[in-house]
Amino acid sequence: METINLIESAEMYGWQTLSDVDLFTVVTGNRESGEAMMRYFEESECSVDGLMNLNIGGMGRATAMKIKALYTLFSRSRQVKMVQLLKTADLYNYVAPHLQNLEQEEFWVILLDGRLRPLRKFCHARGTSSATIVDIRLIVKTAMETKKCCNIVVAHNHPNNTCAPSELDKKLTNRFIDACALMEIQFLDHIIVAGDNFYSFHDNGMLNLDARKYEYSICKH
């Protein structure tokens, strides 16, 4: 049942919203096996024999070889993409292609390591032309489950091509600051993409405001 729920969630909100443990759970069929496989991937070079020794139900040699092949492809992809995003313009250029020229709002997340190299980039939520529902708990949970993640950057677009943040954008940012501080993760920036222009909360000195805890928030314009 848990696997079915995860798949339904992925189909509704996007596979990028699943944590690493969730994805391994879908692969293996249950949470315990998924956690075991994740630990193995984090601590080893992922050999076929190693996968076989996990004693996960249904893990035959053919399945282990397919997982090894996917792991190899994934590792190559990550090596190519391990660039540093040192400036606000770097962050904007990294996420802007996903957010420009859309008729609806989308909310994206970039997870970075301590050297400001992107570990994951995913669309957290899609909304309407004027609103996107954001679950900070899920984003922070994903960050905590992502190995080497130290920093979070979030971004969303304004389909009306107006860069200025709304009051709810500001409240959302404050709550991100609060949640990340609680979990000892650095919240680096909230970027609003408006066509070829953008607004950076960091560059505009907007990351030192008081923040309050929350569970869900709506960005609305």
Side-chain angles (χ1 to χ4, degrees):
M1 180 62 70
E2 182 177 28
T3 301
I4 294 175
N5 291 338
L6 289 173
I7 292 173
E8 290 177 346
S9 176
E11 290 177 338
M12 180 175 297
Y13 301 110
W15 284 92
Q16 302 94 330
T17 61
L18 296 188
S19 68
D20 290 351
V21 174
D22 291 337
L23 291 170
F24 280 118
T25 298
V26 172
V27 171
T28 61
N30 67 79
R31 174 71 57 170
E32 183 177 350
S33 296
E35 291 174 346
M37 183 173 282
M38 190 182 80
R39 287 193 297 271
Y40 173 72
F41 270 68
E42 290 179 342
E43 298 169 0
S44 73
E45 293 300 320
C46 184
S47 68
V48 174
D49 290 339
L51 285 169
M52 296 291 291
N53 290 333
L54 290 179
N55 294 321
I56 295 176
M59 179 68 75
R61 189 168 185 82
T63 300
M65 292 178 71
K66 290 179 181 178
I67 292 175
K68 172 63 176 179
L70 288 173
Y71 174 83
T72 303
L73 288 170
F74 178 70
S75 298
R76 289 176 182 173
S77 175
R78 287 178 64 87
Q79 290 171 2
V80 171
K81 296 178 180 178
M82 288 301 276
V83 296
Q84 287 180 292
L85 305 179
L86 300 176
K87 297 181 288 189
T88 306
D90 296 335
L91 294 168
Y92 166 74
N93 291 328
Y94 188 69
V95 75
H98 301 284
L99 291 169
Q100 292 172 319
N101 304 316
L102 297 179
E103 295 182 356
Q104 76 286 338
E105 280 198 10
E106 292 190 0
F107 195 93
W108 282 70
V109 179
I110 305 172
L111 305 180
L112 304 101
D113 66 11
R115 298 177 62 186
L116 299 182
R117 297 179 302 184
L119 300 170
R120 291 186 64 185
K121 173 177 60 174
F122 59 92
C123 178
H124 168 71
R126 294 180 173 88
T128 66
S129 61
S130 62
T132 304
I133 297 177
V134 177
D135 185 347
I136 286 185
R137 294 179 305 174
L138 180 57
I139 292 174
V140 174
K141 175 177 179 287
T142 301
M144 293 179 65
E145 293 177 349
T146 300
K147 188 178 180 181
K148 297 183 180 180
C149 178
C150 301
N151 303 285
I152 294 179
V153 173
V154 299
H156 79 283
N157 62 307
H158 283 181
N160 61 10
N161 288 333
T162 300
C163 284
S166 69
E167 289 303 313
L168 285 174
D169 287 338
K170 296 175 184 178
K171 290 180 181 179
L172 174 65
T173 303
N174 292 340
R175 290 164 178 167
F176 258 113
I177 295 170
D178 188 50
C180 289
L182 185 64
M183 297 301 170
E184 299 183 347
I185 298 173
Q186 183 72 30
F187 181 75
L188 295 182
D189 206 349
H190 181 178
I191 294 174
I192 299 174
V193 176
D196 293 328
N197 300 311
F198 70 93
Y199 179 95
S200 162
F201 276 74
H202 174 273
D203 289 358
N204 284 276
M206 298 288 287
L207 297 185
N208 296 318
L209 302 177
D210 291 337
R212 294 188 299 272
K213 297 181 179 66
Y214 90 127
E215 296 180 351
Y216 294 92
S217 179
I218 297 178
C219 296
K220 203 167 187 178
H221 314 289

